[in-house]
Amino acid sequence: MSNNLTIILVFCSILLYGIFALYSCAQEPFVQGKRIYEVNCGNCHMSDGHGLGDMYPDITKSDYFTSKKTDLICLIRHGKKGSVMESVIMPANKELTEVGINNLVNYLNYTWGDGSISKLDDVKTALANCQKD
Ligand code: HEC
């Protein structure tokens, strides 16, 4: 009798563990990158990335998340003068850490890009080689 109870207990524990593991996997990855996006980028490009009319570009199909990933890192750090309207700029983000930028880039690639994983070393190398203007 007590043997059966043990088996049932072990079975339940495994079941609970499985449910927990599944639940953890279903959570959205890159939570920190998402938070940084919402604080530093979402005001202009909006949570869904579609931007705001002619002022702030839609970034959901941007090639910065596929073929221009090195430029993306410099764009985040140093911003960009508006090419359409001079008064509309993309601001620099001097306060973001390299780890923060890496998390942000991973969130962006996962959400709107090719899903590739950025490594901290990629961020460091890119930042060291940004074109200054
Ligand atoms: C104050 C508004 C503002 C904020 C905040 C902002 N951006 Fe921008 N962003 C712009 C503007 C304006 C442009 C267009 C610059 C130009 O004229 O080329 C732009 C361009 C871009 C582009 C290039 C789009 C393309 O394909 O040409 C990307 C990618 C981008 N922003 C990502 C970000 C990310 C990531 C953040 C947060 C770190 C951010 N932006 C924060 C205004 C903003």
Side-chain angles (χ1 to χ4, degrees):
M1 187 61 186
S2 80
N3 234 355
N4 274 345
L5 196 65
T6 312
I7 290 170
I8 288 169
L9 269 177
V10 167
F11 179 78
C12 287
S13 310
I14 292 171
L15 197 69
L16 268 178
Y17 177 79
I19 290 169
F20 179 74
L22 261 182
Y23 178 76
S24 313
C25 287
Q27 296 282 297
E28 189 170 13
F30 312 119
V31 176
Q32 213 218 338
K34 183 178 187 180
R35 197 173 307 129
I36 293 172
Y37 179 82
E38 271 156 13
V39 172
N40 295 275
C41 323
N43 279 350
C44 295
H45 299 291
M46 304 295 137
S47 303
D48 63 5
H50 285 303
L52 200 66
D54 292 337
M55 292 250 285
Y56 304 125
D58 183 330
I59 58 170
T60 57
K61 295 183 181 66
S62 176
D63 53 5
Y64 278 83
F65 310 140
T66 50
S67 56
K68 292 166 70 179
K69 291 204 202 80
T70 309
D71 296 335
L72 172 65
I73 292 164
C74 294
L75 174 71
I76 291 170
R77 173 61 93 217
H78 298 293
K80 194 167 180 243
K81 291 199 189 78
S83 50
V84 183
M85 287 180 269
E86 243 176 69
S87 55
V88 182
I89 61 150
M90 161 130 174
N93 291 281
K94 302 289 182 199
E95 78 292 349
L96 286 182
T97 63
E98 289 169 340
V99 173
I101 291 181
N102 197 45
N103 286 335
L104 174 59
V105 167
N106 276 323
Y107 170 71
L108 295 168
N109 287 342
Y110 167 78
T111 310
W112 297 302
D114 56 13
S116 63
I117 299 294
S118 162
K119 294 193 285 301
L120 189 55
D121 276 345
D122 302 337
V123 173
K124 288 185 176 168
T125 310
L127 286 179
N129 294 303
C130 286
Q131 222 97 57
K132 305 267 155 47
D133 57 7

